[in-house]
Amino acid sequence: MIDIVLYIHILAATVWIGGSIFLFTLGIFLRDKKAQKEVYYHIGPLYGYMESVWLTVLIVTGLWMFFNLGIDNIVKNGFPEEFASVMTIKLWLVALITLFTIIHMYIAFKTHNKERGTIEKMLSRGSSMAIFILNLIIIWFAMKVRGFL
Ligand code: HEM
C-alpha cells in the first residue's frame, strides 16, 4: 500500500511542480501583453482547478504516509533529531505553499478578466514567485525525508 501512496504522492509532486514551473516560465518569456492576457484568460481557471486538486492529493497522501510510517511520533518526540527537524521544515514549507496558493487563487478568481490594482498585482506576482521558490526548496527536504526512511 505504501508503494502506491508514495507513487501517487510523487506523481502529484511532478504535476504540481511541473505546472508551476511552466506557468512561471510563460509569465517571463511570453512578453506580448495581449497574448499573455489571452493565454491566462483561457488556461488560468483550468490551471487553478487542476493545481488545487493535485496540491490536495499531495497533502492527503503526505499525511497518510506521515501517520502510517510513524513519522508523527518522530516529530512529536523530536527524535531522531535531524529527521524530526527535516520533516518539521517540510511541513512548514507545505503550510507556506498552501497559504500563498490560497492568496494567489483568491486574487486570480476575484480579478479574472478585470484590471488589477497595484496591491493586487503585487500580491499576485509575489505569491507566484514565493510558490515557485518554495517548490524548488521543498524537493530538497522531500529527498532528505526519504533518506531517513
Ligand atoms: C507541496 C507539497 C509536497 C511536495 C511537493 C512533496 C514532494 C515530495 C516528493 C518529491 C517526495 C519523494 C522524495 C524522494 O523519493 O526522494 C516526497 C516524499 C514524502 N513526502 Fe512529500 N511532498 C509534499 C507534501 C507532503 C506532506 C504534507 C507530507 C506529510 C504530512 C509529506 C510527507 C512525505 C513523506 C513521508 C515522504 C517519504 C515517503 C517514503 O519515502 O516512503 N509530503 N514528497
Side-chain angles (χ1 to χ4, degrees):
M1 183 67 177
I2 175 72
D3 284 350
I4 295 169
V5 177
L6 178 61
Y7 177 88
I8 298 170
H9 192 73
I10 295 177
L11 176 66
T14 61
V15 182
W16 163 258
I17 298 178
S20 98
I21 292 179
F22 179 68
L23 224 71
F24 189 80
T25 313
L26 206 69
I28 292 176
F29 290 104
L30 191 66
R31 299 309 317 166
D32 179 345
K33 283 276 164 238
K34 194 169 156 273
Q36 206 179 65
K37 250 191 184 160
E38 267 177 38
V39 169
Y40 280 103
Y41 175 76
H42 289 290
I43 66 166
L46 181 66
Y47 173 80
Y49 289 125
M50 193 192 84
E51 286 291 85
S52 23
V53 169
W54 286 106
L55 180 59
T56 309
V57 172
L58 265 173
I59 294 173
V60 171
T61 50
L63 284 173
W64 189 93
M65 293 189 290
F66 185 72
F67 290 109
N68 283 278
L69 295 172
I71 307 173
D72 54 332
N73 280 321
I74 289 167
V75 170
K76 229 184 324 177
N77 302 328
F79 187 82
E81 209 176 307
E82 210 188 330
F83 188 0
S85 60
V86 163
M87 191 66 225
T88 307
I89 295 173
K90 188 176 173 190
L91 289 176
W92 274 109
L93 290 170
V94 174
L96 285 174
I97 289 173
T98 308
L99 175 73
F100 285 123
T101 302
I102 292 169
I103 294 174
H104 192 81
M105 284 186 72
Y106 173 74
I107 296 183
F109 283 108
K110 194 178 145 209
T111 61
H112 188 55
N113 211 23
K114 279 192 210 133
E115 269 308 313
R116 286 181 181 170
T118 314
I119 294 185
E120 285 166 341
K121 261 189 210 156
M122 272 171 56
L123 279 174
S124 175
R125 282 182 197 162
S127 55
S128 70
M129 178 67 96
I131 295 167
F132 178 72
I133 293 168
L134 291 172
N135 271 339
L136 296 181
I137 300 174
I138 205 170
I139 301 176
W140 181 260
F141 286 91
M143 196 179 84
K144 293 282 167 201
V145 168
R146 179 102 179 100
F148 284 111
L149 288 162

